Amino acid sequence: MAKVSPMMALPVLVFAGFIGLALVGMMREDPNSLPSAREGQPAPPVVLTAFPGKPGFDDAILRDGTVKVVNYWASWCAPCRIEHPNLQALQDEGLAIYGINYKDQQANAASFLDELGDPYTAIGRDEKGRMALDWGVYGVPETYVIDGEGTIILRHAGPLTERVIEKTLRPALERARQK
């Protein structure tokens, strides 16, 4: 009788483990969302370069008692173009949106805003992406809802579509206002 090696079971066990992890991942409430360790914590320090010709912002503004949205964007980012009209619509409703231009050339960023409009209450530049690391940014666009005390209520990675605005952003804004 041939002896069966325990090593023969290893590929089956590895495959079963992979299937188990995939099933757990698919059973999450929103399998497309990226987790954020920053939600419920104070927003990290604001350290930005000025955006010429535009008002800037700092830590004190993020903690001034009003709810606001912080949006990381770049002119080279295709999804940023997709969300831009939605940002403009939110600004038209009176929502304070603070823009952080991420790893971008100043001239390109200015042209982007000249072409599509400027939905931002204030803008700063994160030229090297150092502040983005502190905020936990994976890539642009990313949007944060900040309550009046400077606490991060929501982080959304990806463009703000109409669906995301209605199902995710507006409820987070309401939670921020109730704090």
Side-chain angles (χ1 to χ4, degrees):
M1 181 164 194
K3 190 173 182 180
V4 178
S5 170
M7 292 300 287
M8 291 179 69
L10 187 61
V12 173
L13 292 173
V14 169
F15 182 72
F18 173 74
I19 295 298
L21 286 173
L23 287 173
V24 167
M26 291 186 336
M27 299 304 241
R28 292 186 326 188
E29 187 173 312
D30 182 1
N32 293 322
S33 71
L34 296 171
S36 174
R38 293 279 183 207
E39 287 181 15
Q41 295 182 2
V46 174
V47 182
L48 297 169
T49 304
F51 195 105
K54 305 285 184 184
F57 66 101
D58 58 16
D59 281 328
I61 290 175
L62 285 189
R63 292 158 176 77
D64 69 0
T66 62
V67 174
K68 54 195 55 74
V69 170
V70 174
N71 177 256
Y72 278 83
W73 65 280
S75 64
W76 47 262
C77 162
C80 295
R81 282 188 173 273
I82 292 169
E83 82 171 355
H84 204 80
N86 293 327
L87 290 172
Q88 190 69 52
L90 289 168
Q91 189 248 8
D92 291 345
E93 291 175 14
L95 183 62
I97 304 172
Y98 292 80
I100 300 175
N101 184 237
Y102 176 75
K103 292 187 176 182
D104 206 352
Q105 298 294 320
Q106 166 61 40
N108 294 345
S111 293
F112 180 92
L113 294 176
D114 288 344
E115 177 187 344
L116 299 176
D118 183 357
Y120 302 110
T121 302
I123 303 176
R125 298 184 65 222
D126 189 7
E127 296 170 287
K128 297 197 184 333
R130 289 195 178 117
M131 188 172 121
L133 287 174
D134 292 340
W135 281 63
V137 172
Y138 285 105
V140 289
E142 283 199 21
T143 304
Y144 295 80
V145 173
I146 311 293
D147 73 7
E149 297 171 358
T151 302
I152 297 173
I153 302 301
L154 170 78
R155 173 189 160 265
H156 175 75
L160 290 178
T161 62
E162 290 179 18
R163 181 177 183 185
V164 168
I165 289 169
E166 293 307 317
K167 295 194 179 266
T168 306
L169 187 72
R170 290 195 193 282
L173 289 166
E174 191 57 37
R175 285 194 313 272
R177 288 182 184 114
Q178 292 174 355
K179 282 190 87 183

